[in-house]
Amino acid sequence: MTEGAGIVFWGRYQQTRDGKLKYRGFTFIEMLIVLCSIVAIASGIFVVGNSIFQTGRFNAARSQVAAVSLAVSQYHFETGSWPANLNTLTSSVGQYGPWIDADGLRDPWGNQFNYNISTAGNMFSIWANGATKSNDSGSNPTSFSSDDIGMVGR
């Protein structure tokens, strides 16, 4: 190194024909290639990470629907009637309850679960609207459409 060369962060020295050291930095093309590589890797990580989060939310919704369904069944067993709505499960009725915490009545996307009682078949349905946040299964489903996640109980 020659006198007064200082600190070099990005670049390299080359020796010229006359023996002097000359600083030569990275070219624009080299920097562009590195930047494009970083962007490509970051976008790949984003796509994979988003897919993992969506799968996690879907599995959490299935688990929560099962917990709410169990609470509805337990309510029916203990009181002899179906709850009028899911908020009924968060308070006591006589010596029984509460059956679930109010936080358990929201799906992973932050929406209230859907609930319906079919008096003719003595069944109930509980479902989450999924990532689209739209009810694709109707008002009294026995099966669930699109990305809705639900359960039918007796």
Side-chain angles (χ1 to χ4, degrees):
M1 239 192 235
T2 61
E3 288 183 28
I7 299 174
V8 178
F9 291 106
W10 294 96
R12 54 190 173 259
Y13 281 97
Q14 285 184 332
Q15 191 168 10
T16 60
R17 289 185 186 172
D18 59 358
K20 295 181 182 177
L21 290 176
K22 180 179 174 187
Y23 177 73
R24 177 180 166 139
F26 290 106
T27 65
F28 178 72
I29 298 297
E30 289 171 328
M31 295 300 286
L32 191 61
I33 289 171
V34 170
L35 185 62
C36 287
S37 299
I38 291 170
V39 168
I41 290 169
S43 65
I45 289 171
F46 177 75
V47 169
V48 170
N50 190 34
S51 173
I52 290 170
F53 282 128
Q54 288 302 325
T55 301
R57 284 183 178 149
F58 178 80
N59 290 336
R62 283 187 359 197
S63 175
Q64 287 175 319
V65 164
V68 174
S69 176
L70 181 63
V72 169
S73 295
Q74 187 174 357
Y75 179 96
H76 182 260
F77 175 76
E78 291 175 352
T79 65
S81 62
W82 297 106
N85 57 52
L86 293 179
N87 291 327
T88 306
L89 300 173
T90 62
S91 58
S92 298
V93 175
Q95 65 183 7
Y96 303 111
W99 292 268
I100 199 165
D101 188 18
D103 294 337
L105 297 179
R106 291 207 170 270
D107 67 17
W109 296 275
N111 301 313
Q112 289 278 343
F113 286 105
N114 298 303
Y115 171 65
N116 186 53
I117 307 166
S118 170
T119 54
N122 204 19
M123 301 181 336
F124 66 91
S125 303
I126 298 173
W127 68 102
N129 293 332
T132 61
K133 299 182 180 183
S134 65
N135 182 1
D136 301 318
S137 299
S139 61
N140 189 18
T142 54
S143 64
F144 302 95
S145 305
S146 186
D147 69 337
D148 291 357
I149 303 140
M151 182 175 282
V152 176
R154 294 183 184 268

